[in-house]
Amino acid sequence: MEEKSKKCVVLGVTGGIAAYKACELLRLLQKQGADVYVVMTKNAGRFVAPLTFETLSGHPVACDTFERPATWEVEHVALAKRADLFLIAPATANILAKMACGIADDMLSTTVLATRAPVLVAPAMNTGMWENPATQHNLSVLASRGVRIVAPATGHLACGDSGAGKLEDVQVIAQTAMDMLRGRVRDMEGLRVLVTAGPSREALDPVRYITNRSSGKMGYAIARAAQRRGAQVTLLSGPVALECPQGVGLVPFGTTAELLQSASALAPEQDVLIQAAAPADYRAKEIAPQKIKKQSGAPMVLELVENPDVAAALGAAKRPGQVFVGFAAETNDVLEHARGKLARKRLDMIVANDVTRPGAGFDVDTNIVTLVTKEACDELPMMSKDEVADRILDRALALRSAKKAE
Ligand code: CTP
């Protein structure tokens, strides 16, 4: 997110055991550039002390202020106006019911009633309360008024029950909030997106292989972002230590040849193809059937043969209207190499990065990239891989619109 003017999130915390997770949520929102103000209900204050939120947010926490009626009116209006987004997490059945009825009897319910900002709620409660028709009715009333809802997850609840009602992962809530702030909600609905990620493994013998330092983080961030924005996403992944994002179809690959085979089968039906994988350029000419033994001091010679270039093969079969994006991890002459790859592989965009720069490349959560197209070269500042993912998708959508207009 642009740092020029920080967006303001008013975070409403209500009284449930998940209130402690709001601390982490606040941190995540700040990390993504938001300025967070907290409003708590009296009951939330029994779970987490207002001082915790005050310290984390760097702002006074608005609590139930009937004890301070002189400031109440002013405070709630000021906060309601300041909000670019109003987020309530965790949201109890009680606050949802109050919001649905327009009840304003404490600081939080009064402030949310007064705000004109978009509202997002992340409910958390006992399964019985969640499933109760009264709660479900209140939610549908709120949804019909434009309130966004991050539905609770299913799992083991603090009350001992198992079922729906667990506060959704705070990462998901934070991301939804940031998307709403950026007005970037589900703009990829109906699009099919194939993302490749991670390294390949080329076996030398039954116990050894050649691979590279790709962690898969960038590709997974793109798959996650595209899914969040409404696309139907398939993730073709090499061996990585990452969890496949929810709602994304995973197709694993081992070798570059396997990647080529799966990608060739899937590519024709995609609207957007993003190749963040790092397939090995070479493989052993022959895979030893048994473990290769030490050569008693003699040099070890491995004979390698070139692998197919997957991006080039797919590029050659690209249909009109499809947008193909590749990556170029370089250590020198970044732009020159990127431009060469753009043409050679018939790509519409290359995401180029100098992997020798701190904060870019392998196994880190940030990246510094330049988006290279035929027409332009756009160097982005260091940002999280999640943010880079959204920038890549923004550009891919723009390229797609330009193609459609042709
Ligand atoms: N790529 C590919 N098949 C390969 C090697 C790379 O499809 N055998 C793809 C990668 O997924 C990436 C792009 O091509 O999107 C560029 O990868 P990179 O390793 O930077 O380029 P290479 O073509 O391998 O060029 P070089 O190793 O000479 O830099």
PDB file of all heavy atoms in Angstrom, residues 196-198 256 259-260 274-282 306-314 325-330 337 341 344-345 347 349-351, ligand 1:
ATOM      1  N   THR A 196       2.842 -21.328 -11.594  1.00  0.00           N
ATOM      2  CA  THR A 196       3.851 -22.346 -11.297  1.00  0.00           C
ATOM      3  C   THR A 196       4.762 -21.793 -10.201  1.00  0.00           C
ATOM      4  O   THR A 196       5.014 -20.593 -10.142  1.00  0.00           O
ATOM      5  CB  THR A 196       4.685 -22.727 -12.537  1.00  0.00           C
ATOM      6  OG1 THR A 196       5.591 -21.658 -12.843  1.00  0.00           O
ATOM      7  CG2 THR A 196       3.813 -23.017 -13.748  1.00  0.00           C
ATOM      8  N   ALA A 197       5.232 -22.687  -9.325  1.00  0.00           N
ATOM      9  CA  ALA A 197       6.028 -22.214  -8.182  1.00  0.00           C
ATOM     10  C   ALA A 197       7.011 -23.282  -7.728  1.00  0.00           C
ATOM     11  O   ALA A 197       6.776 -24.475  -7.919  1.00  0.00           O
ATOM     12  CB  ALA A 197       5.093 -21.864  -7.022  1.00  0.00           C
ATOM     13  N   GLY A 198       8.084 -22.805  -7.138  1.00  0.00           N
ATOM     14  CA  GLY A 198       9.031 -23.718  -6.498  1.00  0.00           C
ATOM     15  C   GLY A 198      10.063 -24.296  -7.449  1.00  0.00           C
ATOM     16  O   GLY A 198      10.029 -24.058  -8.663  1.00  0.00           O
ATOM     17  N   THR A 256      11.578 -30.949 -14.260  1.00  0.00           N
ATOM     18  CA  THR A 256      11.188 -29.961 -15.281  1.00  0.00           C
ATOM     19  C   THR A 256      10.312 -30.621 -16.345  1.00  0.00           C
ATOM     20  O   THR A 256       9.340 -30.020 -16.815  1.00  0.00           O
ATOM     21  CB  THR A 256      12.459 -29.353 -15.935  1.00  0.00           C
ATOM     22  OG1 THR A 256      13.195 -28.669 -14.916  1.00  0.00           O
ATOM     23  CG2 THR A 256      12.131 -28.382 -17.039  1.00  0.00           C
ATOM     24  N   LEU A 259       6.874 -30.797 -15.083  1.00  0.00           N
ATOM     25  CA  LEU A 259       6.261 -29.458 -15.115  1.00  0.00           C
ATOM     26  C   LEU A 259       5.769 -29.161 -16.527  1.00  0.00           C
ATOM     27  O   LEU A 259       4.642 -28.695 -16.725  1.00  0.00           O
ATOM     28  CB  LEU A 259       7.288 -28.396 -14.675  1.00  0.00           C
ATOM     29  CG  LEU A 259       6.868 -26.941 -14.878  1.00  0.00           C
ATOM     30  CD1 LEU A 259       5.653 -26.583 -14.034  1.00  0.00           C
ATOM     31  CD2 LEU A 259       8.014 -25.977 -14.550  1.00  0.00           C
ATOM     32  N   LEU A 260       6.614 -29.457 -17.508  1.00  0.00           N
ATOM     33  CA  LEU A 260       6.241 -29.196 -18.901  1.00  0.00           C
ATOM     34  C   LEU A 260       4.976 -29.963 -19.280  1.00  0.00           C
ATOM     35  O   LEU A 260       4.058 -29.426 -19.890  1.00  0.00           O
ATOM     36  CB  LEU A 260       7.393 -29.573 -19.839  1.00  0.00           C
ATOM     37  CG  LEU A 260       7.091 -29.431 -21.333  1.00  0.00           C
ATOM     38  CD1 LEU A 260       6.757 -27.981 -21.689  1.00  0.00           C
ATOM     39  CD2 LEU A 260       8.255 -29.916 -22.184  1.00  0.00           C
ATOM     40  N   ILE A 274       1.123 -17.589 -14.866  1.00  0.00           N
ATOM     41  CA  ILE A 274       2.239 -16.901 -14.198  1.00  0.00           C
ATOM     42  C   ILE A 274       3.277 -17.928 -13.786  1.00  0.00           C
ATOM     43  O   ILE A 274       3.005 -18.829 -12.988  1.00  0.00           O
ATOM     44  CB  ILE A 274       1.740 -16.092 -12.985  1.00  0.00           C
ATOM     45  CG1 ILE A 274       0.678 -15.102 -13.483  1.00  0.00           C
ATOM     46  CG2 ILE A 274       2.909 -15.379 -12.310  1.00  0.00           C
ATOM     47  CD1 ILE A 274       0.189 -14.118 -12.500  1.00  0.00           C
ATOM     48  N   GLN A 275       4.465 -17.809 -14.370  1.00  0.00           N
ATOM     49  CA  GLN A 275       5.481 -18.845 -14.182  1.00  0.00           C
ATOM     50  C   GLN A 275       6.564 -18.382 -13.212  1.00  0.00           C
ATOM     51  O   GLN A 275       7.582 -17.838 -13.609  1.00  0.00           O
ATOM     52  CB  GLN A 275       6.073 -19.214 -15.539  1.00  0.00           C
ATOM     53  CG  GLN A 275       4.974 -19.660 -16.509  1.00  0.00           C
ATOM     54  CD  GLN A 275       5.507 -20.015 -17.858  1.00  0.00           C
ATOM     55  OE1 GLN A 275       6.104 -21.069 -18.031  1.00  0.00           O
ATOM     56  NE2 GLN A 275       5.324 -19.148 -18.823  1.00  0.00           N
ATOM     57  N   ALA A 276       6.284 -18.633 -11.935  1.00  0.00           N
ATOM     58  CA  ALA A 276       7.245 -18.245 -10.906  1.00  0.00           C
ATOM     59  C   ALA A 276       8.144 -19.421 -10.524  1.00  0.00           C
ATOM     60  O   ALA A 276       9.019 -19.274  -9.676  1.00  0.00           O
ATOM     61  CB  ALA A 276       6.493 -17.745  -9.676  1.00  0.00           C
ATOM     62  N   ALA A 277       7.919 -20.570 -11.141  1.00  0.00           N
ATOM     63  CA  ALA A 277       8.735 -21.745 -10.805  1.00  0.00           C
ATOM     64  C   ALA A 277      10.171 -21.560 -11.288  1.00  0.00           C
ATOM     65  O   ALA A 277      10.438 -20.759 -12.184  1.00  0.00           O
ATOM     66  CB  ALA A 277       8.143 -22.998 -11.447  1.00  0.00           C
ATOM     67  N   ALA A 278      11.066 -22.300 -10.652  1.00  0.00           N
ATOM     68  CA  ALA A 278      12.468 -22.289 -11.073  1.00  0.00           C
ATOM     69  C   ALA A 278      12.852 -23.701 -11.514  1.00  0.00           C
ATOM     70  O   ALA A 278      13.509 -24.431 -10.771  1.00  0.00           O
ATOM     71  CB  ALA A 278      13.346 -21.827  -9.915  1.00  0.00           C
ATOM     72  N   PRO A 279      12.407 -24.089 -12.711  1.00  0.00           N
ATOM     73  CA  PRO A 279      12.750 -25.433 -13.175  1.00  0.00           C
ATOM     74  C   PRO A 279      14.235 -25.498 -13.537  1.00  0.00           C
ATOM     75  O   PRO A 279      14.780 -24.546 -14.103  1.00  0.00           O
ATOM     76  CB  PRO A 279      11.872 -25.619 -14.418  1.00  0.00           C
ATOM     77  CG  PRO A 279      11.455 -24.252 -14.839  1.00  0.00           C
ATOM     78  CD  PRO A 279      11.568 -23.349 -13.681  1.00  0.00           C
ATOM     79  N   ALA A 280      14.857 -26.613 -13.200  1.00  0.00           N
ATOM     80  CA  ALA A 280      16.293 -26.756 -13.485  1.00  0.00           C
ATOM     81  C   ALA A 280      16.523 -26.768 -14.983  1.00  0.00           C
ATOM     82  O   ALA A 280      15.754 -27.364 -15.743  1.00  0.00           O
ATOM     83  CB  ALA A 280      16.803 -28.055 -12.875  1.00  0.00           C
ATOM     84  N   ASP A 281      17.576 -26.079 -15.427  1.00  0.00           N
ATOM     85  CA  ASP A 281      17.891 -26.022 -16.858  1.00  0.00           C
ATOM     86  C   ASP A 281      18.552 -27.323 -17.333  1.00  0.00           C
ATOM     87  O   ASP A 281      18.580 -27.605 -18.519  1.00  0.00           O
ATOM     88  CB  ASP A 281      18.830 -24.851 -17.132  1.00  0.00           C
ATOM     89  CG  ASP A 281      18.103 -23.521 -17.004  1.00  0.00           C
ATOM     90  OD1 ASP A 281      16.881 -23.498 -17.267  1.00  0.00           O
ATOM     91  OD2 ASP A 281      18.744 -22.522 -16.629  1.00  0.00           O
ATOM     92  N   TYR A 282      19.124 -28.069 -16.387  1.00  0.00           N
ATOM     93  CA  TYR A 282      19.838 -29.299 -16.774  1.00  0.00           C
ATOM     94  C   TYR A 282      19.396 -30.475 -15.910  1.00  0.00           C
ATOM     95  O   TYR A 282      18.976 -30.303 -14.767  1.00  0.00           O
ATOM     96  CB  TYR A 282      21.352 -29.104 -16.613  1.00  0.00           C
ATOM     97  CG  TYR A 282      21.912 -28.137 -17.626  1.00  0.00           C
ATOM     98  CD1 TYR A 282      21.988 -26.775 -17.351  1.00  0.00           C
ATOM     99  CD2 TYR A 282      22.334 -28.606 -18.877  1.00  0.00           C
ATOM    100  CE1 TYR A 282      22.476 -25.887 -18.288  1.00  0.00           C
ATOM    101  CE2 TYR A 282      22.830 -27.711 -19.822  1.00  0.00           C
ATOM    102  CZ  TYR A 282      22.892 -26.364 -19.524  1.00  0.00           C
ATOM    103  OH  TYR A 282      23.365 -25.497 -20.472  1.00  0.00           O
ATOM    104  N   GLU A 306      20.520 -30.661 -21.404  1.00  0.00           N
ATOM    105  CA  GLU A 306      19.635 -29.520 -21.204  1.00  0.00           C
ATOM    106  C   GLU A 306      18.171 -29.962 -21.114  1.00  0.00           C
ATOM    107  O   GLU A 306      17.735 -30.848 -21.852  1.00  0.00           O
ATOM    108  CB  GLU A 306      19.817 -28.534 -22.362  1.00  0.00           C
ATOM    109  CG  GLU A 306      19.471 -27.131 -21.958  1.00  0.00           C
ATOM    110  CD  GLU A 306      19.858 -26.111 -23.013  1.00  0.00           C
ATOM    111  OE1 GLU A 306      20.976 -26.197 -23.568  1.00  0.00           O
ATOM    112  OE2 GLU A 306      19.023 -25.228 -23.281  1.00  0.00           O
ATOM    113  N   ASN A 307      17.451 -29.331 -20.208  1.00  0.00           N
ATOM    114  CA  ASN A 307      16.007 -29.556 -20.086  1.00  0.00           C
ATOM    115  C   ASN A 307      15.272 -28.697 -21.090  1.00  0.00           C
ATOM    116  O   ASN A 307      15.795 -27.674 -21.531  1.00  0.00           O
ATOM    117  CB  ASN A 307      15.550 -29.160 -18.676  1.00  0.00           C
ATOM    118  CG  ASN A 307      15.545 -30.344 -17.731  1.00  0.00           C
ATOM    119  OD1 ASN A 307      15.358 -31.492 -18.147  1.00  0.00           O
ATOM    120  ND2 ASN A 307      15.766 -30.066 -16.459  1.00  0.00           N
ATOM    121  N   PRO A 308      14.034 -29.051 -21.391  1.00  0.00           N
ATOM    122  CA  PRO A 308      13.248 -28.150 -22.244  1.00  0.00           C
ATOM    123  C   PRO A 308      12.978 -26.845 -21.504  1.00  0.00           C
ATOM    124  O   PRO A 308      12.919 -26.821 -20.272  1.00  0.00           O
ATOM    125  CB  PRO A 308      11.937 -28.920 -22.452  1.00  0.00           C
ATOM    126  CG  PRO A 308      11.896 -29.953 -21.389  1.00  0.00           C
ATOM    127  CD  PRO A 308      13.311 -30.246 -21.000  1.00  0.00           C
ATOM    128  N   ASP A 309      12.828 -25.761 -22.250  1.00  0.00           N
ATOM    129  CA  ASP A 309      12.431 -24.487 -21.657  1.00  0.00           C
ATOM    130  C   ASP A 309      10.901 -24.453 -21.651  1.00  0.00           C
ATOM    131  O   ASP A 309      10.262 -24.325 -22.697  1.00  0.00           O
ATOM    132  CB  ASP A 309      13.001 -23.321 -22.479  1.00  0.00           C
ATOM    133  CG  ASP A 309      12.757 -21.991 -21.795  1.00  0.00           C
ATOM    134  OD1 ASP A 309      11.619 -21.759 -21.326  1.00  0.00           O
ATOM    135  OD2 ASP A 309      13.707 -21.193 -21.708  1.00  0.00           O
ATOM    136  N   VAL A 310      10.351 -24.601 -20.470  1.00  0.00           N
ATOM    137  CA  VAL A 310       8.897 -24.722 -20.340  1.00  0.00           C
ATOM    138  C   VAL A 310       8.200 -23.459 -20.834  1.00  0.00           C
ATOM    139  O   VAL A 310       7.261 -23.522 -21.628  1.00  0.00           O
ATOM    140  CB  VAL A 310       8.504 -24.997 -18.860  1.00  0.00           C
ATOM    141  CG1 VAL A 310       6.998 -25.131 -18.715  1.00  0.00           C
ATOM    142  CG2 VAL A 310       9.216 -26.245 -18.359  1.00  0.00           C
ATOM    143  N   ALA A 311       8.674 -22.303 -20.368  1.00  0.00           N
ATOM    144  CA  ALA A 311       8.027 -21.039 -20.736  1.00  0.00           C
ATOM    145  C   ALA A 311       8.049 -20.838 -22.248  1.00  0.00           C
ATOM    146  O   ALA A 311       7.057 -20.395 -22.834  1.00  0.00           O
ATOM    147  CB  ALA A 311       8.721 -19.878 -20.030  1.00  0.00           C
ATOM    148  N   ALA A 312       9.170 -21.182 -22.866  1.00  0.00           N
ATOM    149  CA  ALA A 312       9.272 -21.000 -24.325  1.00  0.00           C
ATOM    150  C   ALA A 312       8.303 -21.940 -25.048  1.00  0.00           C
ATOM    151  O   ALA A 312       7.636 -21.542 -26.010  1.00  0.00           O
ATOM    152  CB  ALA A 312      10.705 -21.251 -24.781  1.00  0.00           C
ATOM    153  N   ALA A 313       8.200 -23.175 -24.549  1.00  0.00           N
ATOM    154  CA  ALA A 313       7.291 -24.145 -25.188  1.00  0.00           C
ATOM    155  C   ALA A 313       5.842 -23.683 -25.057  1.00  0.00           C
ATOM    156  O   ALA A 313       5.064 -23.732 -26.018  1.00  0.00           O
ATOM    157  CB  ALA A 313       7.471 -25.521 -24.549  1.00  0.00           C
ATOM    158  N   LEU A 314       5.476 -23.200 -23.878  1.00  0.00           N
ATOM    159  CA  LEU A 314       4.096 -22.747 -23.677  1.00  0.00           C
ATOM    160  C   LEU A 314       3.840 -21.472 -24.472  1.00  0.00           C
ATOM    161  O   LEU A 314       2.769 -21.291 -25.054  1.00  0.00           O
ATOM    162  CB  LEU A 314       3.823 -22.490 -22.187  1.00  0.00           C
ATOM    163  CG  LEU A 314       3.985 -23.693 -21.246  1.00  0.00           C
ATOM    164  CD1 LEU A 314       3.742 -23.274 -19.811  1.00  0.00           C
ATOM    165  CD2 LEU A 314       3.038 -24.827 -21.616  1.00  0.00           C
ATOM    166  N   VAL A 325       2.997 -14.555 -18.024  1.00  0.00           N
ATOM    167  CA  VAL A 325       3.986 -13.794 -17.250  1.00  0.00           C
ATOM    168  C   VAL A 325       5.107 -14.733 -16.817  1.00  0.00           C
ATOM    169  O   VAL A 325       4.843 -15.851 -16.365  1.00  0.00           O
ATOM    170  CB  VAL A 325       3.316 -13.180 -15.988  1.00  0.00           C
ATOM    171  CG1 VAL A 325       4.332 -12.412 -15.154  1.00  0.00           C
ATOM    172  CG2 VAL A 325       2.147 -12.276 -16.379  1.00  0.00           C
ATOM    173  N   GLY A 326       6.339 -14.281 -16.961  1.00  0.00           N
ATOM    174  CA  GLY A 326       7.477 -15.087 -16.513  1.00  0.00           C
ATOM    175  C   GLY A 326       8.289 -14.330 -15.482  1.00  0.00           C
ATOM    176  O   GLY A 326       8.057 -13.135 -15.234  1.00  0.00           O
ATOM    177  N   PHE A 327       9.235 -14.990 -14.894  1.00  0.00           N
ATOM    178  CA  PHE A 327      10.131 -14.374 -13.926  1.00  0.00           C
ATOM    179  C   PHE A 327      11.550 -14.422 -14.475  1.00  0.00           C
ATOM    180  O   PHE A 327      11.871 -15.264 -15.317  1.00  0.00           O
ATOM    181  CB  PHE A 327      10.078 -15.117 -12.583  1.00  0.00           C
ATOM    182  CG  PHE A 327       8.969 -14.629 -11.704  1.00  0.00           C
ATOM    183  CD1 PHE A 327       7.650 -14.905 -12.030  1.00  0.00           C
ATOM    184  CD2 PHE A 327       9.235 -13.884 -10.568  1.00  0.00           C
ATOM    185  CE1 PHE A 327       6.610 -14.434 -11.243  1.00  0.00           C
ATOM    186  CE2 PHE A 327       8.204 -13.414  -9.767  1.00  0.00           C
ATOM    187  CZ  PHE A 327       6.899 -13.692 -10.105  1.00  0.00           C
ATOM    188  N   ALA A 328      12.384 -13.544 -13.985  1.00  0.00           N
ATOM    189  CA  ALA A 328      13.796 -13.644 -14.322  1.00  0.00           C
ATOM    190  C   ALA A 328      14.594 -13.323 -13.069  1.00  0.00           C
ATOM    191  O   ALA A 328      14.603 -12.184 -12.605  1.00  0.00           O
ATOM    192  CB  ALA A 328      14.139 -12.667 -15.442  1.00  0.00           C
ATOM    193  N   ALA A 329      15.161 -14.346 -12.488  1.00  0.00           N
ATOM    194  CA  ALA A 329      16.018 -14.151 -11.319  1.00  0.00           C
ATOM    195  C   ALA A 329      17.430 -13.995 -11.846  1.00  0.00           C
ATOM    196  O   ALA A 329      17.983 -14.928 -12.429  1.00  0.00           O
ATOM    197  CB  ALA A 329      15.922 -15.360 -10.406  1.00  0.00           C
ATOM    198  N   GLU A 330      17.968 -12.798 -11.680  1.00  0.00           N
ATOM    199  CA  GLU A 330      19.283 -12.527 -12.269  1.00  0.00           C
ATOM    200  C   GLU A 330      20.273 -12.086 -11.198  1.00  0.00           C
ATOM    201  O   GLU A 330      19.885 -11.670 -10.101  1.00  0.00           O
ATOM    202  CB  GLU A 330      19.180 -11.414 -13.328  1.00  0.00           C
ATOM    203  CG  GLU A 330      18.137 -11.648 -14.411  1.00  0.00           C
ATOM    204  CD  GLU A 330      18.511 -12.748 -15.395  1.00  0.00           C
ATOM    205  OE1 GLU A 330      19.643 -13.268 -15.335  1.00  0.00           O
ATOM    206  OE2 GLU A 330      17.655 -13.105 -16.229  1.00  0.00           O
ATOM    207  N   HIS A 337      18.818  -8.969 -19.643  1.00  0.00           N
ATOM    208  CA  HIS A 337      18.443 -10.379 -19.663  1.00  0.00           C
ATOM    209  C   HIS A 337      16.927 -10.552 -19.677  1.00  0.00           C
ATOM    210  O   HIS A 337      16.390 -11.398 -20.390  1.00  0.00           O
ATOM    211  CB  HIS A 337      19.019 -11.101 -18.439  1.00  0.00           C
ATOM    212  CG  HIS A 337      20.482 -11.358 -18.557  1.00  0.00           C
ATOM    213  ND1 HIS A 337      21.358 -11.139 -17.522  1.00  0.00           N
ATOM    214  CD2 HIS A 337      21.227 -11.806 -19.584  1.00  0.00           C
ATOM    215  CE1 HIS A 337      22.582 -11.448 -17.915  1.00  0.00           C
ATOM    216  NE2 HIS A 337      22.529 -11.856 -19.170  1.00  0.00           N
ATOM    217  N   LYS A 341      14.525 -12.482 -22.455  1.00  0.00           N
ATOM    218  CA  LYS A 341      13.612 -13.589 -22.117  1.00  0.00           C
ATOM    219  C   LYS A 341      12.181 -13.280 -22.542  1.00  0.00           C
ATOM    220  O   LYS A 341      11.439 -14.166 -22.971  1.00  0.00           O
ATOM    221  CB  LYS A 341      13.665 -13.871 -20.608  1.00  0.00           C
ATOM    222  CG  LYS A 341      14.939 -14.596 -20.208  1.00  0.00           C
ATOM    223  CD  LYS A 341      15.107 -14.765 -18.718  1.00  0.00           C
ATOM    224  CE  LYS A 341      16.561 -15.181 -18.441  1.00  0.00           C
ATOM    225  NZ  LYS A 341      16.861 -15.340 -17.035  1.00  0.00           N
ATOM    226  N   ARG A 344      12.141 -13.996 -26.279  1.00  0.00           N
ATOM    227  CA  ARG A 344      12.445 -15.393 -26.601  1.00  0.00           C
ATOM    228  C   ARG A 344      11.319 -16.348 -26.194  1.00  0.00           C
ATOM    229  O   ARG A 344      11.023 -17.308 -26.888  1.00  0.00           O
ATOM    230  CB  ARG A 344      13.739 -15.776 -25.880  1.00  0.00           C
ATOM    231  CG  ARG A 344      14.515 -16.868 -26.528  1.00  0.00           C
ATOM    232  CD  ARG A 344      15.937 -16.976 -26.020  1.00  0.00           C
ATOM    233  NE  ARG A 344      16.082 -17.136 -24.593  1.00  0.00           N
ATOM    234  CZ  ARG A 344      16.687 -16.260 -23.792  1.00  0.00           C
ATOM    235  NH1 ARG A 344      17.194 -15.140 -24.297  1.00  0.00           N
ATOM    236  NH2 ARG A 344      16.789 -16.476 -22.504  1.00  0.00           N
ATOM    237  N   LYS A 345      10.686 -16.049 -25.057  1.00  0.00           N
ATOM    238  CA  LYS A 345       9.666 -16.970 -24.523  1.00  0.00           C
ATOM    239  C   LYS A 345       8.244 -16.517 -24.842  1.00  0.00           C
ATOM    240  O   LYS A 345       7.294 -17.067 -24.325  1.00  0.00           O
ATOM    241  CB  LYS A 345       9.861 -17.111 -23.001  1.00  0.00           C
ATOM    242  CG  LYS A 345      11.275 -17.589 -22.642  1.00  0.00           C
ATOM    243  CD  LYS A 345      11.474 -17.837 -21.167  1.00  0.00           C
ATOM    244  CE  LYS A 345      12.954 -18.060 -20.874  1.00  0.00           C
ATOM    245  NZ  LYS A 345      13.208 -19.094 -19.875  1.00  0.00           N
ATOM    246  N   LEU A 347       6.581 -13.925 -23.873  1.00  0.00           N
ATOM    247  CA  LEU A 347       5.864 -13.548 -22.657  1.00  0.00           C
ATOM    248  C   LEU A 347       5.309 -12.136 -22.810  1.00  0.00           C
ATOM    249  O   LEU A 347       5.806 -11.350 -23.622  1.00  0.00           O
ATOM    250  CB  LEU A 347       6.814 -13.604 -21.464  1.00  0.00           C
ATOM    251  CG  LEU A 347       7.291 -15.012 -21.069  1.00  0.00           C
ATOM    252  CD1 LEU A 347       8.527 -14.946 -20.191  1.00  0.00           C
ATOM    253  CD2 LEU A 347       6.173 -15.781 -20.382  1.00  0.00           C
ATOM    254  N   MET A 349       4.913 -10.263 -19.959  1.00  0.00           N
ATOM    255  CA  MET A 349       5.592  -9.498 -18.908  1.00  0.00           C
ATOM    256  C   MET A 349       6.618 -10.390 -18.228  1.00  0.00           C
ATOM    257  O   MET A 349       6.411 -11.594 -18.085  1.00  0.00           O
ATOM    258  CB  MET A 349       4.568  -9.018 -17.872  1.00  0.00           C
ATOM    259  CG  MET A 349       5.189  -8.362 -16.660  1.00  0.00           C
ATOM    260  SD  MET A 349       3.999  -7.390 -15.726  1.00  0.00           S
ATOM    261  CE  MET A 349       3.038  -8.642 -14.905  1.00  0.00           C
ATOM    262  N   ILE A 350       7.711  -9.754 -17.837  1.00  0.00           N
ATOM    263  CA  ILE A 350       8.722 -10.445 -17.038  1.00  0.00           C
ATOM    264  C   ILE A 350       8.824  -9.722 -15.705  1.00  0.00           C
ATOM    265  O   ILE A 350       8.893  -8.496 -15.661  1.00  0.00           O
ATOM    266  CB  ILE A 350      10.103 -10.422 -17.735  1.00  0.00           C
ATOM    267  CG1 ILE A 350      10.193 -11.473 -18.849  1.00  0.00           C
ATOM    268  CG2 ILE A 350      11.223 -10.623 -16.737  1.00  0.00           C
ATOM    269  CD1 ILE A 350      10.799 -12.807 -18.447  1.00  0.00           C
ATOM    270  N   VAL A 351       8.791 -10.494 -14.637  1.00  0.00           N
ATOM    271  CA  VAL A 351       9.024  -9.928 -13.311  1.00  0.00           C
ATOM    272  C   VAL A 351      10.501 -10.186 -13.022  1.00  0.00           C
ATOM    273  O   VAL A 351      10.904 -11.326 -12.781  1.00  0.00           O
ATOM    274  CB  VAL A 351       8.139 -10.618 -12.261  1.00  0.00           C
ATOM    275  CG1 VAL A 351       8.334  -9.970 -10.897  1.00  0.00           C
ATOM    276  CG2 VAL A 351       6.674 -10.593 -12.684  1.00  0.00           C
TER     277      VAL A 351
HETATM  278  N1  CTP B   1      11.840 -21.355 -17.188  1.00  0.00           N
HETATM  279  C1  CTP B   1      11.232 -22.387 -17.837  1.00  0.00           C
HETATM  280  N2  CTP B   1      11.921 -23.507 -18.157  1.00  0.00           N
HETATM  281  C2  CTP B   1      13.230 -23.616 -17.859  1.00  0.00           C
HETATM  282  C3  CTP B   1      13.871 -22.554 -17.199  1.00  0.00           C
HETATM  283  C4  CTP B   1      13.147 -21.427 -16.870  1.00  0.00           C
HETATM  284  O1  CTP B   1      10.050 -22.295 -18.075  1.00  0.00           O
HETATM  285  N3  CTP B   1      13.887 -24.720 -18.196  1.00  0.00           N
HETATM  286  C5  CTP B   1      11.040 -20.150 -16.877  1.00  0.00           C
HETATM  287  C6  CTP B   1      10.952 -19.785 -15.419  1.00  0.00           C
HETATM  288  O2  CTP B   1       9.772 -20.324 -14.825  1.00  0.00           O
HETATM  289  C7  CTP B   1      10.876 -18.257 -15.461  1.00  0.00           C
HETATM  290  C8  CTP B   1      11.597 -17.889 -16.733  1.00  0.00           C
HETATM  291  O3  CTP B   1      11.626 -19.071 -17.535  1.00  0.00           O
HETATM  292  O4  CTP B   1       9.566 -17.783 -15.560  1.00  0.00           O
HETATM  293  C9  CTP B   1      13.006 -17.399 -16.558  1.00  0.00           C
HETATM  294  O5  CTP B   1      13.757 -18.294 -15.771  1.00  0.00           O
HETATM  295  P1  CTP B   1      15.337 -18.115 -15.643  1.00  0.00           P
HETATM  296  O6  CTP B   1      15.915 -19.267 -14.889  1.00  0.00           O
HETATM  297  O7  CTP B   1      15.619 -16.734 -15.158  1.00  0.00           O
HETATM  298  O8  CTP B   1      15.726 -18.153 -17.194  1.00  0.00           O
HETATM  299  P2  CTP B   1      16.439 -19.164 -18.133  1.00  0.00           P
HETATM  300  O9  CTP B   1      15.660 -19.183 -19.397  1.00  0.00           O
HETATM  301  O10 CTP B   1      16.696 -20.472 -17.469  1.00  0.00           O
HETATM  302  O11 CTP B   1      17.766 -18.401 -18.463  1.00  0.00           O
HETATM  303  P3  CTP B   1      19.204 -18.406 -17.763  1.00  0.00           P
HETATM  304  O12 CTP B   1      19.252 -19.588 -16.856  1.00  0.00           O
HETATM  305  O13 CTP B   1      20.128 -18.481 -18.922  1.00  0.00           O
HETATM  306  O14 CTP B   1      19.267 -17.084 -17.037  1.00  0.00           O
END
